[in-house]
Amino acid sequence: MTDVEFSRPHRLDQIGAGESDVRITADEGERAALSTRFGLKAIEKLEAVYHLRRDAQGVVARGHLSARLTQACVVTGDPLPAKIEQDFAIRFVPEPTTTGEDEVELTEDECDTVFYAGGMIDLGEAAAETMALELDPYPRSPRAAEVLREAGVKSEEEAGPTKALAGLKDLLAKK
């Protein structure tokens, strides 16, 4: 297991023949560390419910992630509250060895793949990564457009290709 902010190792030998359910919740320190890692102002809540079962390739984890967090506007830095409610499907498979082991074939509708080494999977790190994938990469506050306009930044409509090519159309019409 690697040293991560929100680690919840789960032993593979605890997953029986059927499905097993696991609920994890990040504590205050873990949420603060993840906030730093992902560049967030705060994470108020992070929890996940897993339904685990073995299959021929490894372990399939289906479940639901819930998070309440605060991002910063990319323009103003204003706090922007966000809520994530996301169902997920993850397939934990053993790390490939360097001896040329066969590749794992996945179809388009298959799960996200997470590799593990040894006899444990890390449900906490999988939840943290699932949350990170759902974050808005460019969150903007209601004030963002006004602040950009005051700084002289043109909107997409003002700087769009039709404006830039309007003069070219007139030049071509004169020929």
Side-chain angles (χ1 to χ4, degrees):
M1 296 268 100
T2 59
D3 187 26
V4 295
E5 302 90 342
F6 179 38
S7 183
R8 292 296 185 279
H10 191 79
R11 291 184 7 203
L12 295 175
D13 62 5
Q14 292 177 327
I15 303 169
E19 192 170 85
S20 59
D21 296 335
V22 178
R23 177 181 293 272
I24 62 170
T25 303
D27 66 28
E28 185 176 345
E30 292 164 332
R31 293 190 315 267
L34 287 170
S35 294
T36 300
R37 174 178 166 190
F38 295 122
L40 302 170
K41 288 195 172 272
I43 299 174
E44 294 83 22
K45 170 187 155 185
L46 175 58
E47 60 186 32
V49 176
Y50 286 89
H51 309 289
L52 305 170
R53 71 173 170 75
R54 288 181 174 270
D55 73 359
Q57 295 176 326
V59 175
V60 174
R62 296 191 186 279
H64 186 81
L65 177 108
S66 295
R68 275 193 332 272
L69 52 97
T70 304
Q71 290 186 271
C73 171
V74 294
V75 176
T76 65
D78 293 343
L80 295 171
K83 185 176 182 180
I84 297 172
E85 296 292 335
Q86 182 64 40
D87 291 333
F88 59 82
I90 300 170
R91 181 180 307 279
F92 291 92
V93 296
E95 281 188 16
T97 61
T98 58
T99 60
E101 195 172 299
D102 290 342
E103 290 185 19
V104 176
E105 294 280 331
L106 300 175
T107 62
E108 288 181 25
D109 60 313
E110 286 290 340
C111 312
D112 290 333
T113 302
V114 175
F115 294 103
Y116 68 88
M120 291 192 216
I121 56 177
D122 193 339
L123 301 179
E125 179 60 14
E129 291 175 7
T130 299
M131 179 197 73
L133 289 171
E134 294 303 314
L135 294 173
D136 181 348
Y138 303 105
R140 289 193 174 197
S141 72
R143 293 185 330 114
E146 175 188 335
V147 170
L148 288 170
R149 191 171 35 259
E150 289 172 2
V153 177
K154 293 182 179 182
S155 71
E156 288 182 25
E157 295 79 28
E158 294 169 329
T162 55
K163 300 285 186 198
L165 297 176
L168 180 60
K169 182 180 176 184
D170 292 337
L171 285 174
L172 292 173
K174 292 180 183 179
K175 287 189 174 190

